[in-house]
Amino acid sequence: MPTTPSPNVLTFPGRSLDAGGEGVSEDVWNDMRRRLEASVRKVCPPHLADRSDDLVQVAMLRVMDVARKSEGVRVFTSSYLYRAAYSALIDEIRRLRRRQEVGMEDEDGTPMPLEAELPDPERHTASREAGQAITECLGTLVRPRRLAVTLYLQGHGTPDASGVLGWSVKKTENLIYRGLADLRRCLGGKGWSP
Amino acid sequence: MSRRQGVVAMKDLGGQDQDRLQRAFGERPAAAPPGRRPVDPERIWSAVRGELPAAEARALVDRMAMDPELAQEWRLAAEVSRQLDEAAELDPESELEPAPAAAPGPRRGRMWMALAASIMSAALGAHLLLGPGGPGVGPGDAGRPGAGDGVSATFRQAEAAAVESLVEGAVPRDAAVLRWRGPEGAVSWDLWVSSGDLSDLAVATGLTVPEYAVPAEALAGLPSGAPVFWRVVARLEDGTEVSSSFESQLE
């Protein structure tokens, strides 16, 4: 006979939580969820972005599960939760990648889309080749320039890159400048002209 | 496809010269180089937040140049991190610094209720999508401290009470003992030792004393002066985890 949860207990698949008390607003959680979904949609390729809702749901379930286990001991802050949610998201994305690699089907029987199966395959092929050329050329750069340019290509500004690499802003700026020149030269030598 | 078509395609990517480069770099198919273990997401997050030792962050960036999968995960970390900072600006009263073990309390109850309410509706769908299995820990994660423990592996943070290295100077090759201290309340430690290119050298889990002798054979392939990165994950009495990363040099 099914049991009826008491009013202050929320039941999840396989788990329940005490739900009494007050404090951190619901808005914090809802805001975090929206931001995570927006992040996935913004930076992930379409086959992942299309699943942003589900990926974030699973990540948040897992964060909640761990947080529940330490109930009564620790208050979890936003920075803590975002960090944990990011890790959980990556775990789920990797899990999804592995399922794609072995050609698994979605729950409704539809084959899960591979990254190659994107709209405009010609453009995708060109982009893939351009990306490959950039990767090869990065490999020819001297290491400090490669590091600075890689962060630049990832969208980091000079101060950000400087902070990550532990170099002065001036040095980092110089490395990006010279590294980009090297990169263009290399790409030009391969017949690519960005 | 001809080179010319490729050039046109790159120009079609839009924006300035640099924007096109960034776009093309970002659209590399997310395939990891064969034989490489995935990087611990905690490590990626720490690097993006500027919390990783610089030498280790450089090693990570170097790998990222050749590893589109890692680059994709890095971009997600950067965006989530940006969202976190934006949320902090909009709501400066929210708790944005890591909180050490603290007041149990009524504050969490409503927090969980809110989370519960927000996720219950889609939990089943997510379950169906991603399968009934446990956390997404695969073969590539096997060496990750805490892997298999689900997201608990991610509940590590650099708190005031962090792990402190007791290693001074270069590490002798034939007696590479890594020692550390703390944090208070730690009951066991996991250790992950990697080389300058982030290849795993040794992994030890469930250590009950805060030291570990890295086998000499694990270091055999490294030249003198090579960096050795090591990360300690301390498991506290309450089940949560705290981690710190260090860099040493091989003698």
Side-chain angles (χ1 to χ4, degrees):
Chain A
M1 177 177 151
T3 56
T4 304
S6 61
N8 65 340
V9 173
L10 296 173
T11 303
F12 289 79
R15 57 181 71 91
S16 64
L17 291 176
D18 291 336
E22 56 186 48
V24 177
S25 88
E26 297 176 17
D27 291 344
V28 170
W29 281 108
N30 289 331
D31 184 56
M32 177 174 153
R33 181 179 161 182
R34 278 194 300 271
R35 289 177 181 281
L36 290 173
E37 289 176 1
S39 298
V40 173
R41 283 196 298 269
K42 181 175 177 182
V43 302
C44 288
H47 72 288
L48 293 176
D50 290 348
R51 296 165 186 267
S52 61
D53 293 3
D54 298 312
L55 287 167
V56 171
Q57 292 294 354
V58 173
M60 292 191 75
L61 271 171
R62 291 175 53 200
V63 173
M64 177 199 67
D65 197 40
V66 171
R68 181 186 59 83
K69 286 177 183 168
S70 69
E71 185 165 356
V73 178
R74 187 177 292 261
V75 171
F76 294 99
T77 63
S78 296
S79 59
Y80 202 62
L81 293 171
Y82 272 72
R83 182 187 194 100
Y86 167 73
S87 285
L89 260 177
I90 292 299
D91 282 345
E92 295 305 328
I93 287 172
R94 288 176 180 172
R95 180 187 173 93
L96 205 55
R97 283 191 194 126
R98 284 194 295 275
R99 285 164 64 88
Q100 290 171 333
E101 282 167 8
V102 295
M104 291 189 71
E105 294 180 341
D106 212 337
E107 302 306 326
D108 62 2
T110 308
M112 296 177 75
L114 299 173
E115 273 192 274
E117 296 172 355
L118 295 171
D120 196 350
E122 187 173 355
R123 181 183 177 281
H124 181 64
T125 303
S127 182
R128 176 192 295 257
E129 290 186 359
Q132 181 61 33
I134 293 174
T135 302
E136 289 169 8
C137 286
L138 279 176
T140 68
L141 267 55
V142 292
R143 187 171 186 259
R145 292 181 188 181
R146 179 167 63 248
L147 301 184
V149 168
T150 298
L151 284 182
Y152 173 84
L153 293 175
Q154 284 283 74
H156 289 273
T158 307
D160 259 6
S162 160
V164 170
L165 297 171
W167 292 327
S168 71
V169 170
K170 188 174 180 182
K171 176 178 178 175
T172 306
E173 191 174 43
N174 188 42
L175 289 168
I176 292 173
Y177 179 79
R178 292 175 185 278
L180 280 174
D182 291 346
L183 182 61
R184 286 196 190 91
R185 232 182 338 264
C186 175
L187 288 170
K190 288 176 175 288
W192 295 89
S193 173
Chain B
M1 163 170 296
S2 68
R3 286 295 187 211
R4 173 163 171 67
Q5 283 176 303
V7 170
V8 171
M10 283 190 86
K11 288 187 173 173
D12 283 347
L13 295 176
Q16 301 283 323
D17 204 24
Q18 283 86 341
D19 293 338
R20 286 196 292 271
L21 278 175
Q22 289 176 337
R23 186 89 177 263
F25 186 74
E27 290 191 352
R28 297 182 301 170
R36 302 297 298 264
R37 277 185 188 282
V39 175
D40 181 355
E42 172 93 4
R43 201 178 211 174
I44 304 170
W45 178 266
S46 296
V48 166
R49 299 290 288 178
E51 297 165 358
L52 211 58
E56 190 174 356
R58 288 176 207 148
L60 196 57
V61 174
D62 210 8
R63 174 166 165 180
M64 184 164 68
M66 303 295 137
D67 185 342
E69 193 169 290
L70 174 58
Q72 187 180 90
E73 293 172 356
W74 179 288
R75 285 193 294 278
L76 184 57
E79 179 58 23
V80 172
S81 173
R82 192 189 66 76
Q83 293 279 356
L84 168 61
D85 291 339
E86 189 179 279
E89 279 179 26
L90 293 174
D91 183 13
E93 292 184 1
S94 69
E95 298 173 60
L96 292 166
E97 294 305 316
R107 25 189 317 127
R108 282 187 333 286
R110 191 161 161 225
M111 180 167 77
W112 301 134
M113 183 167 66
L115 173 61
S118 70
I119 65 178
M120 278 181 76
S121 61
L124 181 59
H127 180 77
L128 290 175
L129 166 70
L130 295 166
V137 177
D141 298 312
R144 193 171 103 204
D149 194 16
V151 80
S152 65
T154 72
F155 263 72
R156 307 172 221 141
Q157 58 181 348
E159 294 181 333
V163 181
E164 181 186 352
S165 168
L166 298 179
V167 174
E168 292 181 3
V171 177
R173 184 182 297 274
D174 52 354
V177 181
L178 304 176
R179 291 190 177 86
W180 60 91
R181 177 165 52 209
E184 191 177 333
V187 292
S188 68
W189 296 269
D190 294 345
L191 175 70
W192 186 14
V193 186
S194 57
S195 60
D197 67 355
L198 303 183
S199 300
D200 290 347
L201 298 174
V203 176
T205 57
L207 299 170
T208 52
V209 292
E211 67 175 46
Y212 178 76
V214 183
E217 56 268 28
L219 304 170
L222 300 182
S224 293
V228 174
F229 301 126
W230 48 291
R231 183 177 194 81
V232 178
V233 179
R235 190 159 290 109
L236 308 184
E237 289 166 335
D238 62 17
T240 56
E241 297 173 337
V242 173
S243 77
S244 295
S245 297
F246 307 102
E247 180 194 0
S248 298
Q249 275 199 325
L250 198 59
E251 198 171 75

